[in-house]
Amino acid sequence: MAHDKPANILSQPTAVWAVAFASVIAFMGIGLVDPILPAIAHSLQATPTQTEMLFTSYLLITGVAMFFTSWLSSRIGAKRTLLIGLALIVVFALAAGLSQNVESIIGFRAGWGLGNALFISTALATIVGAASGGTSSAIILYEAALGLGIAIGPLLGGLLGSWSWRGPFFGTATLMAIGFVAIATLLRKDPEKPTPTPLSAPFRALANPSLGFLAAAALFYNIGFFVLLAYTPFALVPLGVSSAISLGFIFFGWGVSLAVTSVWVAPLLTRWLPRTRVLWIVMPLLAVDLAAAGLLSHSVVGLIVCVIVGGLLLGVLNTVLTECVMEATDLPRAVASSAYSGVRFLGGAIAPPAATLLAATFTAATPFYAAAISVLVATALIMIGHRYLKRVDGVEESLLEEAEALTAAA
Protein backbone atom coordinates (compact mmCIF):
# COMPACT_ATOMS: atom_id res chain seq x y z
CA MET A 1 0.00 0.00 0.00
CA ALA A 2 1.25 3.46 -0.80
CA HIS A 3 1.15 4.91 2.69
CA ASP A 4 3.00 7.97 3.80
CA LYS A 5 5.79 6.83 6.06
CA PRO A 6 4.60 7.48 9.61
CA ALA A 7 6.87 8.75 12.30
CA ASN A 8 5.70 6.02 14.67
CA ILE A 9 2.53 4.03 14.28
CA LEU A 10 2.40 3.56 18.07
CA SER A 11 2.44 7.29 18.80
CA GLN A 12 -1.32 7.73 19.07
CA PRO A 13 -3.57 9.12 21.77
CA THR A 14 -5.24 6.58 24.04
CA ALA A 15 -8.59 7.44 22.42
CA VAL A 16 -7.32 6.10 19.09
CA TRP A 17 -6.26 2.86 20.74
CA ALA A 18 -9.66 2.57 22.42
CA VAL A 19 -11.54 2.86 19.12
CA ALA A 20 -9.05 0.55 17.36
CA PHE A 21 -9.57 -2.12 20.02
CA ALA A 22 -13.35 -1.86 19.71
CA SER A 23 -12.97 -2.02 15.91
CA VAL A 24 -11.16 -5.37 16.15
CA ILE A 25 -14.05 -6.78 18.20
CA ALA A 26 -16.72 -5.30 15.91
CA PHE A 27 -15.19 -6.82 12.78
CA MET A 28 -14.78 -10.14 14.57
CA GLY A 29 -18.58 -10.32 14.66
CA ILE A 30 -18.73 -11.04 10.90
CA GLY A 31 -17.27 -14.55 11.18
CA LEU A 32 -17.67 -15.25 14.89
CA VAL A 33 -20.73 -17.51 14.65
CA ASP A 34 -19.49 -19.41 11.59
CA PRO A 35 -17.72 -22.25 13.48
CA ILE A 36 -20.63 -22.78 15.92
CA LEU A 37 -23.44 -23.05 13.35
CA PRO A 38 -23.52 -26.88 13.40
CA ALA A 39 -23.27 -26.88 17.23
CA ILE A 40 -26.21 -24.47 17.55
CA ALA A 41 -28.27 -26.55 15.12
CA HIS A 42 -27.52 -29.72 17.13
CA SER A 43 -27.96 -28.24 20.62
CA LEU A 44 -31.18 -26.37 19.88
CA GLN A 45 -32.59 -28.99 17.48
CA ALA A 46 -32.76 -26.41 14.70
CA THR A 47 -32.65 -27.05 10.97
CA PRO A 48 -29.68 -25.77 8.95
CA THR A 49 -31.96 -23.17 7.33
CA GLN A 50 -33.13 -21.90 10.73
CA THR A 51 -29.53 -21.68 11.89
CA GLU A 52 -28.46 -19.80 8.78
CA MET A 53 -30.99 -17.14 9.71
CA LEU A 54 -28.40 -16.01 12.29
CA PHE A 55 -26.54 -14.51 9.33
CA THR A 56 -29.71 -13.29 7.61
CA SER A 57 -31.12 -11.30 10.53
CA TYR A 58 -27.69 -9.81 11.30
CA LEU A 59 -26.92 -8.80 7.71
CA LEU A 60 -30.44 -7.66 6.84
CA ILE A 61 -30.62 -5.24 9.76
CA THR A 62 -27.00 -4.13 9.20
CA GLY A 63 -27.87 -3.36 5.57
CA VAL A 64 -31.07 -1.49 6.34
CA ALA A 65 -29.41 0.47 9.14
CA MET A 66 -26.55 1.48 6.83
CA PHE A 67 -29.02 3.66 4.91
CA PHE A 68 -29.60 5.75 8.03
CA THR A 69 -26.31 5.77 9.98
CA SER A 70 -24.87 8.84 8.25
CA TRP A 71 -28.10 10.75 8.96
CA LEU A 72 -27.91 9.83 12.67
CA SER A 73 -24.19 10.35 13.29
CA SER A 74 -24.25 13.72 11.52
CA ARG A 75 -26.81 14.87 14.09
CA ILE A 76 -25.82 13.32 17.42
CA GLY A 77 -22.05 13.14 16.87
CA ALA A 78 -19.60 10.29 16.40
CA LYS A 79 -18.96 9.49 20.07
CA ARG A 80 -22.63 9.01 20.91
CA THR A 81 -23.15 6.94 17.77
CA LEU A 82 -20.20 4.70 18.70
CA LEU A 83 -21.43 4.24 22.27
CA ILE A 84 -24.99 3.45 21.21
CA GLY A 85 -23.66 0.89 18.73
CA LEU A 86 -21.38 -0.75 21.32
CA ALA A 87 -24.14 -0.81 23.95
CA LEU A 88 -26.50 -2.55 21.53
CA ILE A 89 -23.89 -5.18 20.67
CA VAL A 90 -23.20 -5.88 24.37
CA VAL A 91 -26.90 -6.26 25.21
CA PHE A 92 -27.84 -8.40 22.22
CA ALA A 93 -24.71 -10.60 22.25
CA LEU A 94 -25.36 -11.33 25.95
CA ALA A 95 -29.03 -12.04 25.24
CA ALA A 96 -28.08 -14.39 22.38
CA GLY A 97 -25.78 -16.32 24.72
CA LEU A 98 -28.61 -16.73 27.24
CA SER A 99 -31.17 -17.85 24.65
CA GLN A 100 -32.95 -21.20 24.89
CA ASN A 101 -34.08 -21.50 21.26
CA VAL A 102 -32.83 -20.56 17.83
CA GLU A 103 -35.68 -18.11 17.17
CA SER A 104 -34.52 -15.93 20.04
CA ILE A 105 -30.92 -15.93 18.81
CA ILE A 106 -32.12 -14.91 15.34
CA GLY A 107 -33.91 -11.90 16.85
CA PHE A 108 -30.98 -10.91 19.05
CA ARG A 109 -28.56 -11.17 16.13
CA ALA A 110 -30.73 -8.59 14.37
CA GLY A 111 -30.17 -6.19 17.27
CA TRP A 112 -26.48 -7.00 17.12
CA GLY A 113 -26.50 -6.05 13.43
CA LEU A 114 -28.01 -2.66 14.24
CA GLY A 115 -25.29 -1.97 16.79
CA ASN A 116 -22.55 -3.09 14.41
CA ALA A 117 -23.86 -0.82 11.63
CA LEU A 118 -23.78 2.19 13.94
CA PHE A 119 -20.28 1.40 15.14
CA ILE A 120 -18.44 0.46 11.94
CA SER A 121 -19.93 3.34 9.96
CA THR A 122 -18.47 5.81 12.47
CA ALA A 123 -15.22 4.25 13.71
CA LEU A 124 -12.90 5.38 10.88
CA ALA A 125 -13.94 9.03 11.08
CA THR A 126 -13.52 8.91 14.86
CA ILE A 127 -10.00 7.48 14.70
CA VAL A 128 -8.93 10.08 12.14
CA GLY A 129 -10.53 12.89 14.16
CA ALA A 130 -8.94 11.75 17.43
CA ALA A 131 -5.44 11.33 15.97
CA SER A 132 -2.88 14.00 16.75
CA GLY A 133 0.40 14.38 14.90
CA GLY A 134 0.03 11.11 13.04
CA THR A 135 -3.13 10.76 10.99
CA SER A 136 -1.55 8.35 8.49
CA SER A 137 -0.38 6.14 11.33
CA ALA A 138 -3.89 6.15 12.80
CA ILE A 139 -5.36 5.00 9.47
CA ILE A 140 -2.82 2.19 9.16
CA LEU A 141 -3.71 1.19 12.72
CA TYR A 142 -7.40 1.12 11.77
CA GLU A 143 -6.72 -1.03 8.71
CA ALA A 144 -4.71 -3.42 10.89
CA ALA A 145 -7.60 -3.59 13.38
CA LEU A 146 -10.03 -4.37 10.58
CA GLY A 147 -7.90 -7.17 9.14
CA LEU A 148 -7.18 -8.58 12.59
CA GLY A 149 -10.88 -8.66 13.45
CA ILE A 150 -11.88 -10.45 10.24
CA ALA A 151 -9.13 -13.04 10.75
CA ILE A 152 -9.57 -13.63 14.50
CA GLY A 153 -13.40 -13.78 14.51
CA PRO A 154 -13.72 -17.38 13.26
CA LEU A 155 -10.76 -18.53 15.39
CA LEU A 156 -12.18 -17.04 18.60
CA GLY A 157 -15.59 -18.43 17.70
CA GLY A 158 -14.02 -21.87 17.32
CA LEU A 159 -12.00 -21.70 20.54
CA LEU A 160 -14.86 -20.45 22.71
CA GLY A 161 -17.32 -22.63 20.82
CA SER A 162 -15.33 -25.74 21.75
CA TRP A 163 -16.43 -25.03 25.34
CA SER A 164 -20.02 -24.18 24.47
CA TRP A 165 -21.87 -22.62 21.55
CA ARG A 166 -22.78 -19.85 24.02
CA GLY A 167 -19.10 -18.99 24.56
CA PRO A 168 -18.57 -16.73 21.52
CA PHE A 169 -21.63 -14.65 22.43
CA PHE A 170 -20.50 -14.13 26.03
CA GLY A 171 -16.94 -13.43 24.87
CA THR A 172 -18.12 -10.74 22.45
CA ALA A 173 -20.35 -9.12 25.07
CA THR A 174 -17.43 -8.98 27.54
CA LEU A 175 -14.93 -7.54 25.06
CA MET A 176 -17.42 -4.98 23.73
CA ALA A 177 -18.26 -3.88 27.26
CA ILE A 178 -14.54 -3.21 27.79
CA GLY A 179 -14.54 -1.27 24.51
CA PHE A 180 -17.56 0.76 25.63
CA VAL A 181 -15.86 1.78 28.88
CA ALA A 182 -12.62 2.60 27.05
CA ILE A 183 -14.32 4.87 24.50
CA ALA A 184 -16.58 6.50 27.10
CA THR A 185 -13.60 7.43 29.29
CA LEU A 186 -10.78 7.96 26.77
CA LEU A 187 -12.57 9.65 23.85
CA ARG A 188 -13.06 12.97 25.62
CA LYS A 189 -14.16 15.07 22.67
CA ASP A 190 -16.10 14.42 19.50
CA PRO A 191 -14.31 14.73 16.18
CA GLU A 192 -15.63 17.62 14.12
CA LYS A 193 -19.35 17.19 13.55
CA PRO A 194 -20.17 16.70 9.86
CA THR A 195 -22.83 18.60 7.94
CA PRO A 196 -26.20 16.90 8.54
CA THR A 197 -27.24 14.75 5.59
CA PRO A 198 -30.87 14.32 4.45
CA LEU A 199 -32.58 11.05 5.35
CA SER A 200 -33.36 10.41 1.68
CA ALA A 201 -29.80 10.95 0.41
CA PRO A 202 -28.68 7.26 0.20
CA PHE A 203 -31.92 6.23 -1.54
CA ARG A 204 -31.67 9.03 -4.10
CA ALA A 205 -28.02 8.12 -4.65
CA LEU A 206 -28.99 4.74 -6.10
CA ALA A 207 -30.64 6.52 -9.04
CA ASN A 208 -27.14 7.44 -10.22
CA PRO A 209 -26.38 4.86 -12.97
CA SER A 210 -22.78 4.21 -11.92
CA LEU A 211 -23.66 3.65 -8.27
CA GLY A 212 -26.74 1.65 -9.25
CA PHE A 213 -24.72 -0.78 -11.39
CA LEU A 214 -22.07 -1.19 -8.68
CA ALA A 215 -24.66 -1.79 -5.97
CA ALA A 216 -26.54 -4.35 -8.09
CA ALA A 217 -23.28 -6.15 -8.92
CA ALA A 218 -22.32 -6.17 -5.24
CA LEU A 219 -25.67 -7.74 -4.30
CA PHE A 220 -25.04 -10.73 -6.59
CA TYR A 221 -21.36 -10.88 -5.63
CA ASN A 222 -22.24 -10.97 -1.93
CA ILE A 223 -24.42 -14.01 -2.53
CA GLY A 224 -21.25 -15.82 -3.59
CA PHE A 225 -19.36 -14.41 -0.60
CA PHE A 226 -21.83 -15.64 1.99
CA VAL A 227 -22.50 -19.01 0.40
CA LEU A 228 -18.78 -19.69 0.83
CA LEU A 229 -18.69 -18.30 4.38
CA ALA A 230 -22.02 -19.44 5.83
CA TYR A 231 -22.95 -22.61 3.91
CA THR A 232 -19.56 -24.37 3.80
CA PRO A 233 -19.62 -25.33 7.54
CA PHE A 234 -22.79 -27.35 6.85
CA ALA A 235 -21.25 -28.87 3.71
CA LEU A 236 -18.31 -30.06 5.83
CA VAL A 237 -20.43 -31.74 8.53
CA PRO A 238 -21.29 -34.88 6.48
CA LEU A 239 -17.57 -35.21 5.71
CA GLY A 240 -16.73 -35.49 9.41
CA VAL A 241 -15.72 -31.88 10.11
CA SER A 242 -18.22 -30.46 12.58
CA SER A 243 -16.29 -29.41 15.70
CA ALA A 244 -16.20 -25.69 16.43
CA ILE A 245 -12.41 -25.67 16.79
CA SER A 246 -11.83 -27.40 13.43
CA LEU A 247 -14.18 -25.01 11.62
CA GLY A 248 -12.62 -22.10 13.51
CA PHE A 249 -9.14 -22.89 12.20
CA ILE A 250 -10.41 -23.41 8.63
CA PHE A 251 -12.14 -20.03 8.58
CA PHE A 252 -9.24 -18.39 10.41
CA GLY A 253 -7.27 -19.30 7.27
CA TRP A 254 -10.06 -17.78 5.19
CA GLY A 255 -9.98 -14.58 7.25
CA VAL A 256 -6.20 -14.20 7.11
CA SER A 257 -6.28 -14.72 3.33
CA LEU A 258 -9.02 -12.10 2.94
CA ALA A 259 -7.23 -9.60 5.19
CA VAL A 260 -3.88 -9.97 3.39
CA THR A 261 -5.27 -9.44 -0.10
CA SER A 262 -7.57 -6.60 1.05
CA VAL A 263 -4.76 -4.59 2.57
CA TRP A 264 -1.81 -5.40 0.29
CA VAL A 265 -2.72 -7.21 -2.92
CA ALA A 266 -5.75 -5.15 -4.03
CA PRO A 267 -3.86 -1.80 -4.00
CA LEU A 268 -0.99 -3.45 -5.88
CA LEU A 269 -3.29 -4.76 -8.62
CA THR A 270 -5.06 -1.42 -9.05
CA ARG A 271 -1.68 0.25 -9.63
CA TRP A 272 -1.05 -2.13 -12.53
CA LEU A 273 -4.55 -2.36 -13.99
CA PRO A 274 -7.71 -0.22 -14.17
CA ARG A 275 -10.13 -1.12 -11.39
CA THR A 276 -12.81 -2.43 -13.74
CA ARG A 277 -10.25 -4.76 -15.37
CA VAL A 278 -9.34 -6.17 -11.96
CA LEU A 279 -13.03 -6.93 -11.39
CA TRP A 280 -13.38 -8.51 -14.85
CA ILE A 281 -10.46 -10.84 -14.09
CA VAL A 282 -10.98 -11.72 -10.41
CA MET A 283 -14.79 -12.13 -10.38
CA PRO A 284 -14.72 -15.00 -12.93
CA LEU A 285 -11.90 -16.57 -10.90
CA LEU A 286 -14.18 -16.50 -7.85
CA ALA A 287 -16.93 -18.13 -9.93
CA VAL A 288 -14.46 -20.86 -10.91
CA ASP A 289 -13.50 -21.34 -7.25
CA LEU A 290 -17.16 -21.69 -6.24
CA ALA A 291 -17.82 -24.15 -9.07
CA ALA A 292 -14.75 -26.12 -7.94
CA ALA A 293 -16.21 -26.22 -4.41
CA GLY A 294 -19.32 -27.77 -5.92
CA LEU A 295 -17.31 -30.37 -7.83
CA LEU A 296 -15.24 -31.13 -4.71
CA SER A 297 -18.13 -31.02 -2.22
CA HIS A 298 -17.40 -34.67 -1.34
CA SER A 299 -13.77 -33.87 -0.41
CA VAL A 300 -12.68 -32.29 2.90
CA VAL A 301 -9.32 -31.19 1.51
CA GLY A 302 -10.91 -29.87 -1.67
CA LEU A 303 -13.46 -27.75 0.20
CA ILE A 304 -10.84 -26.36 2.57
CA VAL A 305 -8.60 -25.34 -0.35
CA CYS A 306 -11.58 -23.66 -2.06
CA VAL A 307 -12.36 -21.75 1.15
CA ILE A 308 -8.77 -20.45 1.46
CA VAL A 309 -8.48 -19.56 -2.24
CA GLY A 310 -11.91 -17.92 -2.02
CA GLY A 311 -10.66 -15.76 0.85
CA LEU A 312 -7.76 -14.53 -1.29
CA LEU A 313 -10.11 -13.58 -4.15
CA LEU A 314 -12.76 -12.05 -1.88
CA GLY A 315 -10.23 -9.75 -0.27
CA VAL A 316 -9.30 -8.25 -3.63
CA LEU A 317 -12.91 -7.90 -4.80
CA ASN A 318 -14.19 -6.36 -1.56
CA THR A 319 -11.65 -3.58 -1.62
CA VAL A 320 -11.69 -2.88 -5.37
CA LEU A 321 -15.49 -2.81 -5.57
CA THR A 322 -15.69 -0.31 -2.76
CA GLU A 323 -12.88 1.82 -4.21
CA CYS A 324 -15.03 1.99 -7.36
CA VAL A 325 -17.97 3.22 -5.26
CA MET A 326 -15.77 5.94 -3.72
CA GLU A 327 -14.70 7.20 -7.14
CA ALA A 328 -17.77 6.58 -9.31
CA THR A 329 -19.77 9.71 -8.45
CA ASP A 330 -19.51 13.24 -7.06
CA LEU A 331 -21.72 12.24 -4.14
CA PRO A 332 -20.33 12.56 -0.60
CA ARG A 333 -18.45 9.37 0.19
CA ALA A 334 -20.53 8.71 3.31
CA VAL A 335 -23.74 8.82 1.26
CA ALA A 336 -22.39 6.64 -1.56
CA SER A 337 -21.01 4.12 0.91
CA SER A 338 -24.29 3.97 2.86
CA ALA A 339 -26.33 3.33 -0.29
CA TYR A 340 -23.91 0.73 -1.64
CA SER A 341 -23.51 -1.10 1.68
CA GLY A 342 -27.25 -1.19 2.27
CA VAL A 343 -27.89 -2.98 -1.04
CA ARG A 344 -24.79 -5.18 -0.73
CA PHE A 345 -25.75 -6.59 2.65
CA LEU A 346 -29.13 -7.66 1.27
CA GLY A 347 -27.30 -10.18 -0.92
CA GLY A 348 -25.55 -11.48 2.16
CA ALA A 349 -28.88 -11.76 3.98
CA ILE A 350 -30.47 -13.82 1.18
CA ALA A 351 -27.63 -16.28 0.58
CA PRO A 352 -27.26 -18.42 3.76
CA PRO A 353 -30.85 -19.76 4.11
CA ALA A 354 -31.24 -20.00 0.33
CA ALA A 355 -28.11 -22.17 0.21
CA THR A 356 -29.35 -24.68 2.77
CA LEU A 357 -32.76 -24.84 1.07
CA LEU A 358 -31.07 -25.59 -2.28
CA ALA A 359 -28.94 -28.27 -0.62
CA ALA A 360 -31.99 -29.89 0.96
CA THR A 361 -33.93 -29.80 -2.32
CA PHE A 362 -31.15 -30.89 -4.68
CA THR A 363 -27.58 -31.81 -3.63
CA ALA A 364 -24.87 -30.48 -1.33
CA ALA A 365 -23.05 -29.11 -4.40
CA THR A 366 -25.99 -27.07 -5.74
CA PRO A 367 -25.50 -23.96 -3.54
CA PHE A 368 -21.91 -23.61 -4.76
CA TYR A 369 -23.00 -23.80 -8.40
CA ALA A 370 -25.76 -21.26 -7.78
CA ALA A 371 -23.24 -18.96 -6.09
CA ALA A 372 -20.90 -19.27 -9.09
CA ILE A 373 -23.73 -18.24 -11.42
CA SER A 374 -24.56 -15.31 -9.15
CA VAL A 375 -20.96 -14.06 -9.29
CA LEU A 376 -21.02 -14.32 -13.08
CA VAL A 377 -24.18 -12.16 -13.07
CA ALA A 378 -22.23 -9.61 -11.02
CA THR A 379 -19.42 -9.72 -13.60
CA ALA A 380 -21.91 -9.17 -16.42
CA LEU A 381 -23.40 -6.15 -14.63
CA ILE A 382 -19.95 -4.56 -14.28
CA MET A 383 -19.31 -5.14 -17.99
CA ILE A 384 -22.73 -3.88 -19.11
CA GLY A 385 -22.38 -0.77 -16.96
CA HIS A 386 -18.81 -0.09 -18.04
CA ARG A 387 -19.66 3.12 -19.89
CA TYR A 388 -20.92 4.58 -16.59
CA LEU A 389 -17.79 3.48 -14.72
CA LYS A 390 -15.07 5.18 -16.76
CA ARG A 391 -14.12 7.60 -14.01
CA VAL A 392 -13.27 4.81 -11.56
CA ASP A 393 -10.27 3.74 -13.64
CA GLY A 394 -6.85 5.30 -13.35
CA VAL A 395 -7.62 7.46 -10.32
CA GLU A 396 -4.95 7.63 -7.63
CA GLU A 397 -6.71 7.21 -4.30
CA SER A 398 -5.73 8.89 -1.08
CA LEU A 399 -4.82 7.05 2.12
CA LEU A 400 -8.14 8.02 3.70
CA GLU A 401 -10.14 6.79 0.69
CA GLU A 402 -8.28 3.48 0.82
CA ALA A 403 -9.16 3.03 4.48
CA GLU A 404 -12.79 3.94 3.78
CA ALA A 405 -12.86 1.35 1.02
CA LEU A 406 -11.59 -1.33 3.37
CA THR A 407 -14.23 -0.38 5.94
CA ALA A 408 -17.14 -0.60 3.53
CA ALA A 409 -15.73 -3.81 2.07
CA ALA A 410 -15.67 -5.64 5.38
Side-chain angles (χ1 to χ4, degrees):
M1 294 166 62
H3 296 303
D4 298 331
K5 187 176 180 180
N8 185 352
I9 191 172
L10 303 179
S11 299
Q12 297 298 330
T14 51
V16 171
W17 286 108
V19 180
F21 168 76
S23 296
V24 172
I25 313 306
F27 286 110
M28 279 167 43
I30 294 172
L32 191 80
V33 302
D34 209 46
I36 57 172
L37 290 174
I40 290 175
H42 180 264
S43 298
L44 299 181
Q45 298 181 325
T47 66
T49 300
Q50 285 177 313
T51 312
E52 293 284 40
M53 292 297 289
L54 297 182
F55 273 103
T56 295
S57 61
Y58 174 81
L59 293 167
L60 179 63
I61 298 303
T62 297
V64 172
M66 282 289 187
F67 284 110
F68 305 102
T69 50
S70 60
W71 175 86
L72 180 66
S73 63
S74 67
R75 283 164 172 78
I76 68 172
K79 181 177 180 178
R80 288 180 183 174
T81 306
L82 289 174
L83 292 176
I84 291 170
L86 289 173
L88 288 172
I89 296 172
V90 170
V91 170
F92 286 111
L94 184 61
L98 295 170
S99 295
Q100 301 302 315
N101 56 69
V102 73
E103 292 83 4
S104 297
I105 305 177
I106 291 168
F108 293 137
R109 278 282 285 178
W112 187 339
L114 174 60
N116 218 43
L118 291 171
F119 179 85
I120 64 176
S121 64
T122 315
L124 175 60
T126 306
I127 283 185
V128 173
S132 62
T135 300
S136 63
S137 296
I139 293 172
I140 296 170
L141 185 66
Y142 175 81
E143 292 175 1
L146 186 155
L148 198 61
I150 288 175
I152 290 178
L155 182 60
L156 183 66
L159 292 172
L160 294 177
S162 63
W163 162 63
S164 165
W165 65 262
R166 301 178 189 274
F169 296 121
F170 293 145
T172 298
T174 302
L175 291 169
M176 276 305 201
I178 296 170
F180 180 94
V181 173
I183 289 176
T185 55
L186 299 176
L187 188 62
R188 299 190 182 280
K189 64 175 184 176
D190 246 327
E192 185 179 347
K193 195 171 181 179
T195 304
T197 57
L199 192 61
S200 61
F203 300 99
R204 287 189 283 107
L206 291 172
N208 184 293
S210 55
L211 189 61
F213 270 105
L214 288 168
L219 187 149
F220 286 98
Y221 156 72
N222 243 30
I223 290 173
F225 184 112
F226 279 97
V227 165
L228 191 68
L229 174 63
Y231 169 69
T232 307
F234 284 109
L236 287 166
V237 169
L239 304 179
V241 181
S242 59
S243 71
I245 189 66
S246 298
L247 292 170
F249 275 111
I250 290 168
F251 283 92
F252 172 68
W254 169 87
V256 169
S257 299
L258 190 150
V260 166
T261 53
S262 289
V263 175
W264 287 291
V265 178
L268 194 62
L269 289 175
T270 53
R271 288 195 192 98
W272 291 342
L273 295 167
R275 291 188 178 101
T276 53
R277 300 300 187 281
V278 175
L279 296 178
W280 293 1
I281 293 168
V282 182
M283 274 189 176
L285 290 176
L286 177 61
V288 169
D289 182 67
L290 288 163
L295 291 170
L296 299 171
S297 58
H298 58 282
S299 165
V300 172
V301 174
L303 276 181
I304 291 173
V305 169
C306 288
V307 167
I308 303 302
V309 171
L312 294 169
L313 299 171
L314 292 168
V316 172
L317 291 170
N318 276 6
T319 300
V320 176
L321 265 173
T322 315
E323 286 175 5
C324 289
V325 172
M326 299 298 175
E327 298 290 350
T329 71
D330 292 321
L331 294 165
R333 287 197 297 268
V335 172
S337 180
S338 292
Y340 165 79
S341 296
V343 174
R344 180 174 66 95
F345 277 116
L346 294 179
I350 293 166
T356 51
L357 286 172
L358 284 172
T361 305
F362 301 102
T363 70
T366 306
F368 294 116
Y369 296 140
I373 293 169
S374 185
V375 173
L376 290 177
V377 171
T379 309
L381 285 167
I382 295 294
M383 290 181 171
I384 292 167
H386 180 245
R387 67 191 182 99
Y388 298 110
L389 301 175
K390 290 179 180 178
R391 65 178 284 172
V392 309
D393 292 329
V395 179
E396 185 71 23
E397 69 174 12
S398 70
L399 185 63
L400 180 58
E401 287 169 339
E402 189 174 296
E404 286 173 328
L406 288 167
T407 303

